[in-house]
PDB file of all heavy atoms in Angstrom:
ATOM      1  N   ALA L   1      18.951-110.631 -49.738  1.00 95.00           N
ATOM      2  CA  ALA L   1      19.782-109.943 -50.732  1.00 95.00           C
ATOM      3  C   ALA L   1      19.482-108.455 -50.761  1.00 95.00           C
ATOM      4  O   ALA L   1      20.374-107.632 -50.994  1.00 95.00           O
ATOM      5  CB  ALA L   1      19.560-110.565 -52.109  1.00 95.00           C
ATOM      6  N   GLU L   2      18.210-108.089 -50.495  1.00 95.00           N
ATOM      7  CA  GLU L   2      17.832-106.670 -50.504  1.00 95.00           C
ATOM      8  C   GLU L   2      18.550-105.881 -49.415  1.00 95.00           C
ATOM      9  O   GLU L   2      18.896-104.711 -49.610  1.00 95.00           O
ATOM     10  CB  GLU L   2      16.306-106.542 -50.342  1.00 95.00           C
ATOM     11  CG  GLU L   2      15.504-106.955 -51.559  1.00 95.00           C
ATOM     12  CD  GLU L   2      15.403-108.459 -51.733  1.00 95.00           C
ATOM     13  OE1 GLU L   2      15.783-109.206 -50.792  1.00 95.00           O
ATOM     14  OE2 GLU L   2      14.954-108.898 -52.810  1.00 95.00           O
ATOM     15  N   HIS L   3      18.773-106.511 -48.261  1.00 96.00           N
ATOM     16  CA  HIS L   3      19.542-105.850 -47.198  1.00 96.00           C
ATOM     17  C   HIS L   3      20.963-105.567 -47.678  1.00 96.00           C
ATOM     18  O   HIS L   3      21.524-104.485 -47.434  1.00 96.00           O
ATOM     19  CB  HIS L   3      19.606-106.742 -45.952  1.00 96.00           C
ATOM     20  CG  HIS L   3      18.299-106.924 -45.255  1.00 96.00           C
ATOM     21  ND1 HIS L   3      17.771-108.159 -44.996  1.00 96.00           N
ATOM     22  CD2 HIS L   3      17.402-106.023 -44.775  1.00 96.00           C
ATOM     23  CE1 HIS L   3      16.615-108.027 -44.362  1.00 96.00           C
ATOM     24  NE2 HIS L   3      16.362-106.734 -44.226  1.00 96.00           N
ATOM     25  N   ILE L   4      21.536-106.554 -48.348  1.00 96.00           N
ATOM     26  CA  ILE L   4      22.917-106.410 -48.822  1.00 96.00           C
ATOM     27  C   ILE L   4      22.990-105.379 -49.946  1.00 96.00           C
ATOM     28  O   ILE L   4      23.942-104.591 -50.018  1.00 96.00           O
ATOM     29  CB  ILE L   4      23.453-107.774 -49.276  1.00 96.00           C
ATOM     30  CG1 ILE L   4      23.387-108.774 -48.116  1.00 96.00           C
ATOM     31  CG2 ILE L   4      24.893-107.651 -49.778  1.00 96.00           C
ATOM     32  CD1 ILE L   4      23.685-110.220 -48.504  1.00 96.00           C
ATOM     33  N   ASP L   5      21.980-105.348 -50.819  1.00 95.00           N
ATOM     34  CA  ASP L   5      21.932-104.331 -51.873  1.00 95.00           C
ATOM     35  C   ASP L   5      21.925-102.926 -51.268  1.00 95.00           C
ATOM     36  O   ASP L   5      22.627-102.021 -51.745  1.00 95.00           O
ATOM     37  CB  ASP L   5      20.687-104.522 -52.741  1.00 95.00           C
ATOM     38  CG  ASP L   5      20.769-105.748 -53.636  1.00 95.00           C
ATOM     39  OD1 ASP L   5      21.901-106.189 -53.913  1.00 95.00           O
ATOM     40  OD2 ASP L   5      19.714-106.258 -54.043  1.00 95.00           O
ATOM     41  N   SER L   6      21.132-102.731 -50.211  1.00 94.00           N
ATOM     42  CA  SER L   6      21.071-101.424 -49.544  1.00 94.00           C
ATOM     43  C   SER L   6      22.413-101.077 -48.912  1.00 94.00           C
ATOM     44  O   SER L   6      22.841 -99.912 -48.916  1.00 94.00           O
ATOM     45  CB  SER L   6      19.970-101.436 -48.477  1.00 94.00           C
ATOM     46  OG  SER L   6      18.703-101.644 -49.055  1.00 94.00           O
ATOM     47  N   MET L   7      23.084-102.094 -48.364  1.00 95.00           N
ATOM     48  CA  MET L   7      24.405-101.865 -47.768  1.00 95.00           C
ATOM     49  C   MET L   7      25.397-101.400 -48.831  1.00 95.00           C
ATOM     50  O   MET L   7      26.216-100.492 -48.580  1.00 95.00           O
ATOM     51  CB  MET L   7      24.900-103.144 -47.097  1.00 95.00           C
ATOM     52  CG  MET L   7      26.266-102.997 -46.433  1.00 95.00           C
ATOM     53  SD  MET L   7      26.906-104.530 -45.702  1.00 95.00           S
ATOM     54  CE  MET L   7      27.365-105.445 -47.192  1.00 95.00           C
ATOM     55  N   ILE L   8      25.350-102.005 -50.008  1.00 95.00           N
ATOM     56  CA  ILE L   8      26.262-101.619 -51.092  1.00 95.00           C
ATOM     57  C   ILE L   8      26.061-100.159 -51.470  1.00 95.00           C
ATOM     58  O   ILE L   8      27.024 -99.401 -51.658  1.00 95.00           O
ATOM     59  CB  ILE L   8      26.045-102.529 -52.324  1.00 95.00           C
ATOM     60  CG1 ILE L   8      26.472-103.959 -52.002  1.00 95.00           C
ATOM     61  CG2 ILE L   8      26.827-102.005 -53.539  1.00 95.00           C
ATOM     62  CD1 ILE L   8      26.136-104.964 -53.091  1.00 95.00           C
ATOM     63  N   VAL L   9      24.792 -99.731 -51.578  1.00 93.00           N
ATOM     64  CA  VAL L   9      24.489 -98.331 -51.916  1.00 93.00           C
ATOM     65  C   VAL L   9      25.091 -97.408 -50.866  1.00 93.00           C
ATOM     66  O   VAL L   9      25.699 -96.375 -51.198  1.00 93.00           O
ATOM     67  CB  VAL L   9      22.973 -98.119 -52.021  1.00 93.00           C
ATOM     68  CG1 VAL L   9      22.651 -96.636 -52.169  1.00 93.00           C
ATOM     69  CG2 VAL L   9      22.400 -98.899 -53.195  1.00 93.00           C
ATOM     70  N   LEU L  10      24.955 -97.779 -49.604  1.00 93.00           N
ATOM     71  CA  LEU L  10      25.484 -96.940 -48.523  1.00 93.00           C
ATOM     72  C   LEU L  10      27.006 -96.907 -48.547  1.00 93.00           C
ATOM     73  O   LEU L  10      27.616 -95.850 -48.360  1.00 93.00           O
ATOM     74  CB  LEU L  10      24.983 -97.458 -47.182  1.00 93.00           C
ATOM     75  CG  LEU L  10      25.377 -96.633 -45.945  1.00 93.00           C
ATOM     76  CD1 LEU L  10      24.925 -95.188 -46.088  1.00 93.00           C
ATOM     77  CD2 LEU L  10      24.787 -97.249 -44.683  1.00 93.00           C
ATOM     78  N   LEU L  11      27.633 -98.052 -48.784  1.00 94.00           N
ATOM     79  CA  LEU L  11      29.098 -98.108 -48.815  1.00 94.00           C
ATOM     80  C   LEU L  11      29.671 -97.193 -49.896  1.00 94.00           C
ATOM     81  O   LEU L  11      30.751 -96.624 -49.739  1.00 94.00           O
ATOM     82  CB  LEU L  11      29.567 -99.542 -49.061  1.00 94.00           C
ATOM     83  CG  LEU L  11      29.367-100.550 -47.929  1.00 94.00           C
ATOM     84  CD1 LEU L  11      29.664-101.955 -48.411  1.00 94.00           C
ATOM     85  CD2 LEU L  11      30.244-100.202 -46.739  1.00 94.00           C
ATOM     86  N   GLN L  12      28.960 -97.058 -51.010  1.00 91.00           N
ATOM     87  CA  GLN L  12      29.433 -96.236 -52.116  1.00 91.00           C
ATOM     88  C   GLN L  12      28.945 -94.792 -52.043  1.00 91.00           C
ATOM     89  O   GLN L  12      29.255 -93.996 -52.923  1.00 91.00           O
ATOM     90  CB  GLN L  12      29.003 -96.871 -53.441  1.00 91.00           C
ATOM     91  CG  GLN L  12      29.642 -98.233 -53.686  1.00 91.00           C
ATOM     92  CD  GLN L  12      29.267 -98.830 -55.019  1.00 91.00           C
ATOM     93  OE1 GLN L  12      28.105 -98.875 -55.396  1.00 91.00           O
ATOM     94  NE2 GLN L  12      30.267 -99.301 -55.766  1.00 91.00           N
ATOM     95  N   SER L  13      28.216 -94.475 -50.982  1.00 91.00           N
ATOM     96  CA  SER L  13      27.700 -93.116 -50.822  1.00 91.00           C
ATOM     97  C   SER L  13      28.807 -92.161 -50.373  1.00 91.00           C
ATOM     98  O   SER L  13      29.647 -92.521 -49.542  1.00 91.00           O
ATOM     99  CB  SER L  13      26.570 -93.108 -49.786  1.00 91.00           C
ATOM    100  OG  SER L  13      26.259 -91.794 -49.385  1.00 91.00           O
ATOM    101  N   PRO L  14      28.832 -90.927 -50.892  1.00 87.00           N
ATOM    102  CA  PRO L  14      29.845 -89.950 -50.459  1.00 87.00           C
ATOM    103  C   PRO L  14      29.778 -89.644 -48.973  1.00 87.00           C
ATOM    104  O   PRO L  14      30.764 -89.218 -48.379  1.00 87.00           O
ATOM    105  CB  PRO L  14      29.495 -88.701 -51.289  1.00 87.00           C
ATOM    106  CG  PRO L  14      28.762 -89.221 -52.471  1.00 87.00           C
ATOM    107  CD  PRO L  14      27.988 -90.406 -51.985  1.00 87.00           C
ATOM    108  N   ALA L  15      28.626 -89.893 -48.360  1.00 85.00           N
ATOM    109  CA  ALA L  15      28.463 -89.576 -46.937  1.00 85.00           C
ATOM    110  C   ALA L  15      28.961 -90.696 -46.031  1.00 85.00           C
ATOM    111  O   ALA L  15      29.008 -90.527 -44.810  1.00 85.00           O
ATOM    112  CB  ALA L  15      26.980 -89.300 -46.645  1.00 85.00           C
ATOM    113  N   TYR L  16      29.342 -91.824 -46.614  1.00 90.00           N
ATOM    114  CA  TYR L  16      29.698 -92.980 -45.780  1.00 90.00           C
ATOM    115  C   TYR L  16      31.086 -92.838 -45.171  1.00 90.00           C
ATOM    116  O   TYR L  16      32.045 -92.441 -45.826  1.00 90.00           O
ATOM    117  CB  TYR L  16      29.651 -94.264 -46.599  1.00 90.00           C
ATOM    118  CG  TYR L  16      30.066 -95.480 -45.796  1.00 90.00           C
ATOM    119  CD1 TYR L  16      29.228 -95.988 -44.813  1.00 90.00           C
ATOM    120  CD2 TYR L  16      31.308 -96.089 -45.998  1.00 90.00           C
ATOM    121  CE1 TYR L  16      29.598 -97.085 -44.050  1.00 90.00           C
ATOM    122  CE2 TYR L  16      31.691 -97.194 -45.245  1.00 90.00           C
ATOM    123  CZ  TYR L  16      30.826 -97.684 -44.275  1.00 90.00           C
ATOM    124  OH  TYR L  16      31.209 -98.767 -43.516  1.00 90.00           O
ATOM    125  N   ALA L  17      31.171 -93.191 -43.895  1.00 85.00           N
ATOM    126  CA  ALA L  17      32.453 -93.299 -43.199  1.00 85.00           C
ATOM    127  C   ALA L  17      32.383 -94.529 -42.315  1.00 85.00           C
ATOM    128  O   ALA L  17      31.385 -94.741 -41.621  1.00 85.00           O
ATOM    129  CB  ALA L  17      32.724 -92.054 -42.356  1.00 85.00           C
ATOM    130  N   PRO L  18      33.400 -95.381 -42.331  1.00 86.00           N
ATOM    131  CA  PRO L  18      33.399 -96.576 -41.498  1.00 86.00           C
ATOM    132  C   PRO L  18      33.215 -96.236 -40.027  1.00 86.00           C
ATOM    133  O   PRO L  18      33.537 -95.128 -39.586  1.00 86.00           O
ATOM    134  CB  PRO L  18      34.782 -97.188 -41.749  1.00 86.00           C
ATOM    135  CG  PRO L  18      35.172 -96.670 -43.088  1.00 86.00           C
ATOM    136  CD  PRO L  18      34.596 -95.286 -43.166  1.00 86.00           C
ATOM    137  N   ALA L  19      32.707 -97.172 -39.263  1.00 72.00           N
ATOM    138  CA  ALA L  19      32.437 -96.954 -37.844  1.00 72.00           C
ATOM    139  C   ALA L  19      33.694 -96.488 -37.117  1.00 72.00           C
ATOM    140  O   ALA L  19      34.748 -97.104 -37.224  1.00 72.00           O
ATOM    141  CB  ALA L  19      31.926 -98.249 -37.213  1.00 72.00           C
ATOM    142  N   GLY L  20      33.570 -95.382 -36.406  1.00 66.00           N
ATOM    143  CA  GLY L  20      34.680 -94.867 -35.627  1.00 66.00           C
ATOM    144  C   GLY L  20      35.709 -94.095 -36.421  1.00 66.00           C
ATOM    145  O   GLY L  20      36.700 -93.627 -35.870  1.00 66.00           O
ATOM    146  N   ARG L  21      35.481 -93.930 -37.733  1.00 62.00           N
ATOM    147  CA  ARG L  21      36.429 -93.197 -38.583  1.00 62.00           C
ATOM    148  C   ARG L  21      35.788 -91.885 -39.030  1.00 62.00           C
ATOM    149  O   ARG L  21      34.924 -91.865 -39.889  1.00 62.00           O
ATOM    150  CB  ARG L  21      36.798 -94.023 -39.814  1.00 62.00           C
ATOM    151  CG  ARG L  21      37.415 -95.379 -39.491  1.00 62.00           C
ATOM    152  CD  ARG L  21      38.835 -95.223 -38.984  1.00 62.00           C
ATOM    153  NE  ARG L  21      39.479 -96.508 -38.768  1.00 62.00           N
ATOM    154  CZ  ARG L  21      40.152 -97.174 -39.698  1.00 62.00           C
ATOM    155  NH1 ARG L  21      40.239 -96.676 -40.915  1.00 62.00           N
ATOM    156  NH2 ARG L  21      40.728 -98.319 -39.429  1.00 62.00           N
ATOM    157  N   THR L  22      36.216 -90.792 -38.424  1.00 52.00           N
ATOM    158  CA  THR L  22      35.650 -89.485 -38.782  1.00 52.00           C
ATOM    159  C   THR L  22      36.745 -88.478 -39.101  1.00 52.00           C
ATOM    160  O   THR L  22      36.510 -87.282 -39.126  1.00 52.00           O
ATOM    161  CB  THR L  22      34.791 -88.938 -37.621  1.00 52.00           C
ATOM    162  OG1 THR L  22      35.597 -88.869 -36.430  1.00 52.00           O
ATOM    163  CG2 THR L  22      33.583 -89.834 -37.364  1.00 52.00           C
ATOM    164  N   GLY L  23      37.957 -88.960 -39.313  1.00 46.00           N
ATOM    165  CA  GLY L  23      39.089 -88.057 -39.552  1.00 46.00           C
ATOM    166  C   GLY L  23      39.064 -87.437 -40.932  1.00 46.00           C
ATOM    167  O   GLY L  23      38.152 -87.640 -41.742  1.00 46.00           O
ATOM    168  N   ASN L  24      40.115 -86.649 -41.224  1.00 40.00           N
ATOM    169  CA  ASN L  24      40.203 -85.932 -42.503  1.00 40.00           C
ATOM    170  C   ASN L  24      40.213 -86.870 -43.702  1.00 40.00           C
ATOM    171  O   ASN L  24      39.864 -86.473 -44.806  1.00 40.00           O
ATOM    172  CB  ASN L  24      41.479 -85.072 -42.516  1.00 40.00           C
ATOM    173  CG  ASN L  24      41.397 -83.937 -41.520  1.00 40.00           C
ATOM    174  OD1 ASN L  24      40.300 -83.486 -41.204  1.00 40.00           O
ATOM    175  ND2 ASN L  24      42.541 -83.489 -41.015  1.00 40.00           N
ATOM    176  N   ARG L  25      40.612 -88.113 -43.471  1.00 47.00           N
ATOM    177  CA  ARG L  25      40.695 -89.068 -44.565  1.00 47.00           C
ATOM    178  C   ARG L  25      39.343 -89.238 -45.255  1.00 47.00           C
ATOM    179  O   ARG L  25      39.270 -89.538 -46.446  1.00 47.00           O
ATOM    180  CB  ARG L  25      41.182 -90.417 -44.015  1.00 47.00           C
ATOM    181  CG  ARG L  25      41.237 -91.519 -45.038  1.00 47.00           C
ATOM    182  CD  ARG L  25      41.668 -92.805 -44.384  1.00 47.00           C
ATOM    183  NE  ARG L  25      41.556 -93.928 -45.304  1.00 47.00           N
ATOM    184  CZ  ARG L  25      41.721 -95.190 -44.943  1.00 47.00           C
ATOM    185  NH1 ARG L  25      42.007 -95.483 -43.705  1.00 47.00           N
ATOM    186  NH2 ARG L  25      41.595 -96.161 -45.824  1.00 47.00           N
ATOM    187  N   PHE L  26      38.248 -89.033 -44.511  1.00 46.00           N
ATOM    188  CA  PHE L  26      36.936 -89.289 -45.064  1.00 46.00           C
ATOM    189  C   PHE L  26      36.166 -88.020 -45.402  1.00 46.00           C
ATOM    190  O   PHE L  26      35.033 -88.082 -45.832  1.00 46.00           O
ATOM    191  CB  PHE L  26      36.121 -90.155 -44.095  1.00 46.00           C
ATOM    192  CG  PHE L  26      36.730 -91.500 -43.894  1.00 46.00           C
ATOM    193  CD1 PHE L  26      37.514 -91.761 -42.791  1.00 46.00           C
ATOM    194  CD2 PHE L  26      36.562 -92.498 -44.838  1.00 46.00           C
ATOM    195  CE1 PHE L  26      38.086 -93.012 -42.610  1.00 46.00           C
ATOM    196  CE2 PHE L  26      37.142 -93.747 -44.679  1.00 46.00           C
ATOM    197  CZ  PHE L  26      37.906 -93.999 -43.559  1.00 46.00           C
ATOM    198  N   LYS L  27      36.769 -86.840 -45.196  1.00 45.00           N
ATOM    199  CA  LYS L  27      36.094 -85.599 -45.552  1.00 45.00           C
ATOM    200  C   LYS L  27      36.118 -85.416 -47.064  1.00 45.00           C
ATOM    201  O   LYS L  27      37.158 -85.480 -47.699  1.00 45.00           O
ATOM    202  CB  LYS L  27      36.776 -84.407 -44.868  1.00 45.00           C
ATOM    203  CG  LYS L  27      36.538 -84.371 -43.353  1.00 45.00           C
ATOM    204  CD  LYS L  27      37.159 -83.136 -42.729  1.00 45.00           C
ATOM    205  CE  LYS L  27      36.882 -83.082 -41.228  1.00 45.00           C
ATOM    206  NZ  LYS L  27      37.495 -81.897 -40.600  1.00 45.00           N
ATOM    207  N   GLY L  28      34.939 -85.158 -47.613  1.00 43.00           N
ATOM    208  CA  GLY L  28      34.860 -84.950 -49.051  1.00 43.00           C
ATOM    209  C   GLY L  28      35.112 -86.205 -49.846  1.00 43.00           C
ATOM    210  O   GLY L  28      35.448 -86.168 -51.018  1.00 43.00           O
ATOM    211  N   ALA L  29      34.957 -87.372 -49.207  1.00 53.00           N
ATOM    212  CA  ALA L  29      35.214 -88.634 -49.894  1.00 53.00           C
ATOM    213  C   ALA L  29      34.119 -88.921 -50.907  1.00 53.00           C
ATOM    214  O   ALA L  29      33.039 -88.346 -50.864  1.00 53.00           O
ATOM    215  CB  ALA L  29      35.310 -89.762 -48.867  1.00 53.00           C
ATOM    216  N   LYS L  30      34.410 -89.819 -51.825  1.00 69.00           N
ATOM    217  CA  LYS L  30      33.445 -90.195 -52.854  1.00 69.00           C
ATOM    218  C   LYS L  30      32.819 -91.546 -52.561  1.00 69.00           C
ATOM    219  O   LYS L  30      32.218 -92.169 -53.420  1.00 69.00           O
ATOM    220  CB  LYS L  30      34.154 -90.238 -54.215  1.00 69.00           C
ATOM    221  CG  LYS L  30      34.726 -88.900 -54.652  1.00 69.00           C
ATOM    222  CD  LYS L  30      35.415 -89.029 -56.003  1.00 69.00           C
ATOM    223  CE  LYS L  30      35.994 -87.691 -56.450  1.00 69.00           C
ATOM    224  NZ  LYS L  30      36.682 -87.795 -57.756  1.00 69.00           N
ATOM    225  N   GLY L  31      32.926 -92.004 -51.341  1.00 82.00           N
ATOM    226  CA  GLY L  31      32.464 -93.339 -51.015  1.00 82.00           C
ATOM    227  C   GLY L  31      33.569 -94.350 -51.275  1.00 82.00           C
ATOM    228  O   GLY L  31      34.605 -94.030 -51.856  1.00 82.00           O
ATOM    229  N   LEU L  32      33.349 -95.563 -50.826  1.00 90.00           N
ATOM    230  CA  LEU L  32      34.369 -96.591 -51.014  1.00 90.00           C
ATOM    231  C   LEU L  32      34.435 -97.017 -52.480  1.00 90.00           C
ATOM    232  O   LEU L  32      33.427 -97.026 -53.186  1.00 90.00           O
ATOM    233  CB  LEU L  32      34.050 -97.806 -50.142  1.00 90.00           C
ATOM    234  CG  LEU L  32      33.967 -97.556 -48.623  1.00 90.00           C
ATOM    235  CD1 LEU L  32      33.731 -98.872 -47.896  1.00 90.00           C
ATOM    236  CD2 LEU L  32      35.224 -96.877 -48.106  1.00 90.00           C
ATOM    237  N   SER L  33      35.612 -97.386 -52.913  1.00 89.00           N
ATOM    238  CA  SER L  33      35.785 -97.840 -54.293  1.00 89.00           C
ATOM    239  C   SER L  33      35.099 -99.182 -54.497  1.00 89.00           C
ATOM    240  O   SER L  33      34.819 -99.913 -53.537  1.00 89.00           O
ATOM    241  CB  SER L  33      37.272 -97.961 -54.626  1.00 89.00           C
ATOM    242  OG  SER L  33      37.851 -99.031 -53.889  1.00 89.00           O
ATOM    243  N   SER L  34      34.856 -99.525 -55.751  1.00 90.00           N
ATOM    244  CA  SER L  34      34.236-100.811 -56.066  1.00 90.00           C
ATOM    245  C   SER L  34      35.096-101.971 -55.576  1.00 90.00           C
ATOM    246  O   SER L  34      34.583-102.984 -55.089  1.00 90.00           O
ATOM    247  CB  SER L  34      34.000-100.934 -57.571  1.00 90.00           C
ATOM    248  OG  SER L  34      33.076 -99.966 -58.018  1.00 90.00           O
ATOM    249  N   ALA L  35      36.406-101.821 -55.685  1.00 88.00           N
ATOM    250  CA  ALA L  35      37.310-102.885 -55.242  1.00 88.00           C
ATOM    251  C   ALA L  35      37.193-103.105 -53.736  1.00 88.00           C
ATOM    252  O   ALA L  35      37.162-104.246 -53.262  1.00 88.00           O
ATOM    253  CB  ALA L  35      38.754-102.541 -55.616  1.00 88.00           C
ATOM    254  N   THR L  36      37.107-102.006 -52.965  1.00 92.00           N
ATOM    255  CA  THR L  36      36.976-102.124 -51.514  1.00 92.00           C
ATOM    256  C   THR L  36      35.630-102.724 -51.141  1.00 92.00           C
ATOM    257  O   THR L  36      35.539-103.590 -50.265  1.00 92.00           O
ATOM    258  CB  THR L  36      37.136-100.741 -50.855  1.00 92.00           C
ATOM    259  OG1 THR L  36      38.422-100.207 -51.182  1.00 92.00           O
ATOM    260  CG2 THR L  36      37.004-100.839 -49.346  1.00 92.00           C
ATOM    261  N   VAL L  37      34.571-102.269 -51.807  1.00 95.00           N
ATOM    262  CA  VAL L  37      33.240-102.823 -51.547  1.00 95.00           C
ATOM    263  C   VAL L  37      33.227-104.322 -51.833  1.00 95.00           C
ATOM    264  O   VAL L  37      32.653-105.108 -51.072  1.00 95.00           O
ATOM    265  CB  VAL L  37      32.170-102.097 -52.396  1.00 95.00           C
ATOM    266  CG1 VAL L  37      30.819-102.809 -52.284  1.00 95.00           C
ATOM    267  CG2 VAL L  37      32.038-100.645 -51.957  1.00 95.00           C
ATOM    268  N   ASN L  38      33.872-104.734 -52.898  1.00 94.00           N
ATOM    269  CA  ASN L  38      33.887-106.158 -53.247  1.00 94.00           C
ATOM    270  C   ASN L  38      34.688-106.981 -52.244  1.00 94.00           C
ATOM    271  O   ASN L  38      34.381-108.157 -52.012  1.00 94.00           O
ATOM    272  CB  ASN L  38      34.429-106.353 -54.657  1.00 94.00           C
ATOM    273  CG  ASN L  38      33.393-106.020 -55.716  1.00 94.00           C
ATOM    274  OD1 ASN L  38      32.194-106.074 -55.464  1.00 94.00           O
ATOM    275  ND2 ASN L  38      33.842-105.654 -56.906  1.00 94.00           N
ATOM    276  N   ARG L  39      35.703-106.391 -51.633  1.00 94.00           N
ATOM    277  CA  ARG L  39      36.416-107.106 -50.567  1.00 94.00           C
ATOM    278  C   ARG L  39      35.499-107.319 -49.367  1.00 94.00           C
ATOM    279  O   ARG L  39      35.535-108.373 -48.711  1.00 94.00           O
ATOM    280  CB  ARG L  39      37.674-106.328 -50.155  1.00 94.00           C
ATOM    281  CG  ARG L  39      38.833-106.490 -51.121  1.00 94.00           C
ATOM    282  CD  ARG L  39      40.149-106.073 -50.491  1.00 94.00           C
ATOM    283  NE  ARG L  39      40.191-104.650 -50.180  1.00 94.00           N
ATOM    284  CZ  ARG L  39      40.571-103.709 -51.035  1.00 94.00           C
ATOM    285  NH1 ARG L  39      40.939-104.044 -52.258  1.00 94.00           N
ATOM    286  NH2 ARG L  39      40.606-102.440 -50.678  1.00 94.00           N
ATOM    287  N   ILE L  40      34.690-106.316 -49.070  1.00 96.00           N
ATOM    288  CA  ILE L  40      33.719-106.441 -47.977  1.00 96.00           C
ATOM    289  C   ILE L  40      32.706-107.532 -48.294  1.00 96.00           C
ATOM    290  O   ILE L  40      32.362-108.365 -47.444  1.00 96.00           O
ATOM    291  CB  ILE L  40      33.012-105.092 -47.729  1.00 96.00           C
ATOM    292  CG1 ILE L  40      34.032-104.045 -47.244  1.00 96.00           C
ATOM    293  CG2 ILE L  40      31.879-105.241 -46.716  1.00 96.00           C
ATOM    294  CD1 ILE L  40      33.479-102.629 -47.187  1.00 96.00           C
ATOM    295  N   LEU L  41      32.227-107.548 -49.536  1.00 96.00           N
ATOM    296  CA  LEU L  41      31.250-108.548 -49.950  1.00 96.00           C
ATOM    297  C   LEU L  41      31.845-109.950 -49.975  1.00 96.00           C
ATOM    298  O   LEU L  41      31.171-110.934 -49.647  1.00 96.00           O
ATOM    299  CB  LEU L  41      30.681-108.187 -51.326  1.00 96.00           C
ATOM    300  CG  LEU L  41      29.854-106.899 -51.389  1.00 96.00           C
ATOM    301  CD1 LEU L  41      29.434-106.607 -52.826  1.00 96.00           C
ATOM    302  CD2 LEU L  41      28.635-106.978 -50.478  1.00 96.00           C
ATOM    303  N   ASP L  42      33.112-110.063 -50.364  1.00 95.00           N
ATOM    304  CA  ASP L  42      33.777-111.364 -50.349  1.00 95.00           C
ATOM    305  C   ASP L  42      33.843-111.922 -48.930  1.00 95.00           C
ATOM    306  O   ASP L  42      33.664-113.127 -48.703  1.00 95.00           O
ATOM    307  CB  ASP L  42      35.182-111.249 -50.931  1.00 95.00           C
ATOM    308  CG  ASP L  42      35.180-111.045 -52.443  1.00 95.00           C
ATOM    309  OD1 ASP L  42      34.144-111.322 -53.080  1.00 95.00           O
ATOM    310  OD2 ASP L  42      36.211-110.581 -52.981  1.00 95.00           O
ATOM    311  N   CYS L  43      34.128-111.038 -47.985  1.00 96.00           N
ATOM    312  CA  CYS L  43      34.164-111.436 -46.573  1.00 96.00           C
ATOM    313  C   CYS L  43      32.783-111.923 -46.129  1.00 96.00           C
ATOM    314  O   CYS L  43      32.658-112.986 -45.502  1.00 96.00           O
ATOM    315  CB  CYS L  43      34.627-110.255 -45.717  1.00 96.00           C
ATOM    316  SG  CYS L  43      34.567-110.551 -43.933  1.00 96.00           S
ATOM    317  N   LEU L  44      31.752-111.153 -46.464  1.00 97.00           N
ATOM    318  CA  LEU L  44      30.383-111.532 -46.090  1.00 97.00           C
ATOM    319  C   LEU L  44      29.978-112.842 -46.761  1.00 97.00           C
ATOM    320  O   LEU L  44      29.332-113.695 -46.143  1.00 97.00           O
ATOM    321  CB  LEU L  44      29.413-110.415 -46.472  1.00 97.00           C
ATOM    322  CG  LEU L  44      27.937-110.665 -46.149  1.00 97.00           C
ATOM    323  CD1 LEU L  44      27.732-110.866 -44.645  1.00 97.00           C
ATOM    324  CD2 LEU L  44      27.078-109.506 -46.650  1.00 97.00           C
ATOM    325  N   GLN L  45      30.341-113.006 -48.018  1.00 96.00           N
ATOM    326  CA  GLN L  45      29.997-114.231 -48.738  1.00 96.00           C
ATOM    327  C   GLN L  45      30.617-115.450 -48.081  1.00 96.00           C
ATOM    328  O   GLN L  45      29.985-116.501 -47.959  1.00 96.00           O
ATOM    329  CB  GLN L  45      30.456-114.129 -50.192  1.00 96.00           C
ATOM    330  CG  GLN L  45      30.045-115.323 -51.041  1.00 96.00           C
ATOM    331  CD  GLN L  45      30.150-115.021 -52.529  1.00 96.00           C
ATOM    332  OE1 GLN L  45      30.567-113.947 -52.924  1.00 96.00           O
ATOM    333  NE2 GLN L  45      29.750-115.963 -53.347  1.00 96.00           N
ATOM    334  N   SER L  46      31.854-115.327 -47.643  1.00 96.00           N
ATOM    335  CA  SER L  46      32.522-116.432 -46.971  1.00 96.00           C
ATOM    336  C   SER L  46      31.845-116.749 -45.646  1.00 96.00           C
ATOM    337  O   SER L  46      31.629-117.927 -45.308  1.00 96.00           O
ATOM    338  CB  SER L  46      33.997-116.082 -46.753  1.00 96.00           C
ATOM    339  OG  SER L  46      34.686-117.144 -46.142  1.00 96.00           O
TER     340      SER L  46
END
C-alpha cells in the first residue's frame, strides 16, 4: 500500500506528466485531478 500511496502523491504533483506526454497540455499543470487519480486506482484495484 505504501508504494501505491507514493504513486498517488506523484500523480497529484504539479511536476507530473504521463509517460511520453510532454506537450503544452502539461506545462504549468496542477497535477492530475482527484477524479482522474481515482480512475487510475480503480484500474489498479481491478
Side-chain angles (χ1 to χ4, degrees):
E2 288 77 11
H3 292 125
I4 302 171
D5 288 337
S6 297
M7 181 183 73
I8 293 173
V9 172
L10 184 56
L11 290 170
Q12 296 183 312
S13 167
Y16 178 72
R21 302 287 184 88
T22 57
N24 292 333
R25 177 182 172 188
F26 297 98
K27 289 183 178 179
K30 298 180 180 179
L32 301 184
S33 68
S34 296
T36 301
V37 172
N38 282 336
R39 282 197 295 273
I40 296 171
L41 295 176
D42 288 342
C43 174
L44 180 60
Q45 184 163 2
S46 182

